[in-house]
Amino acid sequence: QSQLQESGPRLSKPSETLSLTCTVPGDSFTTIGFYWGWIRQPPGRGLEWIGILHDDGRPAYSPSLKSRVTISVDTSRTRLSLKLSSVTAADTATYYCAGFDNFDYAVEKWGQGILVTVSS
Amino acid sequence: QSVLTQPPSVSAAPGQRVIVSCSGSSSNIGNNYVSWYQQFPGTAPKVLIYENHKRPSGTPDRLSGSKSGTSATLVITGLQTGDEADYYCGTWDSSLSAMVFGGGTKLTVL
């Protein structure tokens, strides 16, 4: 049973902004000891870290995606968002919402993942 | 090209032992904790090992992790057909200020 739940459009057009949301059913992103973020996996390929929000609100992003990505959490801390701008077919992937242990960055919580296809 | 290097595949017979290696550098494995993940087709990964060698509840003790210098190792003994999956190592990279993963290793139980 996934502890995190991703939602959003499953199809994005090239050059547009991909937007996804993550929630914790019945809970919020206030669990002590975790950072929250996103990981993706292109079809048939390996895991790629996108970024996280530290508990002081400071983000850290993958250097290869930094210019295009924004991760944020709403003021009630119930929705974690991912925005990836100027998408191309190379951004087609399963996107996972994730909870990272704040001591060693181990990914202890995973969403079920959502496949987003970038195509015109 | 992944920052951490894993063999694309490993295989062994049921009951045997298999080793999955993960090679990095001083900016990642050399100075940070390593975690290992198991992924079955069509499902999200699951953490098997954290802080180099610690097992979460649910990880059987026939799986073990270790780290030496800039390399880490996942060892699975008493292989079972249910162990067939993809395995990934991951760690923080202090130079990149980013988390990095290995390219993944596909385990086949012959």
Side-chain angles (χ1 to χ4, degrees):
Chain A
Q1 191 80 10
S2 296
Q3 299 165 288
L4 304 171
Q5 192 164 339
E6 304 91 346
S7 61
R10 294 173 183 269
L11 180 64
S12 285
K13 288 182 165 48
S15 80
E16 292 186 343
T17 295
L18 178 160
S19 294
L20 296 175
T21 298
C22 175
T23 58
V24 187
D27 204 340
S28 63
F29 293 100
T30 54
T31 305
I32 294 174
F34 286 92
Y35 302 142
W36 305 99
W38 295 86
I39 293 167
R40 72 179 183 178
Q41 184 172 35
R45 299 182 63 183
L47 302 173
E48 180 182 11
W49 184 81
I50 298 173
I52 58 171
L53 279 182
H54 291 100
D55 49 15
D56 60 1
R58 177 174 48 93
Y61 299 131
S62 165
S64 65
L65 298 172
K66 187 174 185 177
S67 64
R68 299 193 290 130
V69 67
T70 302
I71 296 174
S72 61
V73 65
D74 67 352
T75 52
S76 64
R77 298 194 68 83
T78 58
R79 292 158 56 95
L80 181 75
S81 297
L82 168 69
K83 293 188 186 302
L84 183 65
S85 64
S86 305
V87 296
T88 69
D91 295 308
T92 293
T94 295
Y95 287 76
Y96 294 101
C97 177
F100 301 76
D101 183 273
N102 69 355
F103 180 65
D104 69 333
Y105 290 92
V107 188
E108 298 190 5
K109 300 179 186 293
W110 294 81
Q112 63 186 11
I114 181 170
L115 175 61
V116 180
T117 301
V118 179
S119 173
S120 55
Chain B
Q1 190 86 1
S2 302
V3 173
L4 305 181
T5 301
Q6 296 181 237
S9 63
V10 294
S11 61
Q16 296 299 303
R17 183 182 78 155
V18 70
I19 298 173
V20 182
S21 61
C22 177
S23 178
S25 68
S26 58
S27 67
N28 43 66
I29 292 178
N31 284 283
N32 293 290
Y33 287 108
V34 176
S35 48
W36 288 90
Y37 306 88
Q38 178 188 57
Q39 185 181 34
F40 296 106
T43 68
K46 179 183 76 170
V47 64
L48 292 176
I49 299 288
Y50 66 99
E51 292 181 27
N52 303 330
H53 65 90
K54 295 181 179 180
R55 286 185 292 267
S57 58
T59 298
D61 59 8
R62 59 188 184 82
L63 278 71
S64 62
S66 64
K67 187 183 93 167
S68 178
T70 59
S71 293
T73 298
L74 174 69
V75 178
I76 307 176
T77 59
L79 268 178
Q80 302 174 2
T81 56
D83 294 327
E84 280 206 344
D86 294 324
Y87 293 83
Y88 295 89
C89 57
T91 187
W92 186 257
D93 190 298
S94 302
S95 294
L96 298 174
S97 292
M99 186 171 185
V100 292
F101 289 102
T105 298
K106 183 176 182 61
L107 168 61
T108 300
V109 181
L110 302 171

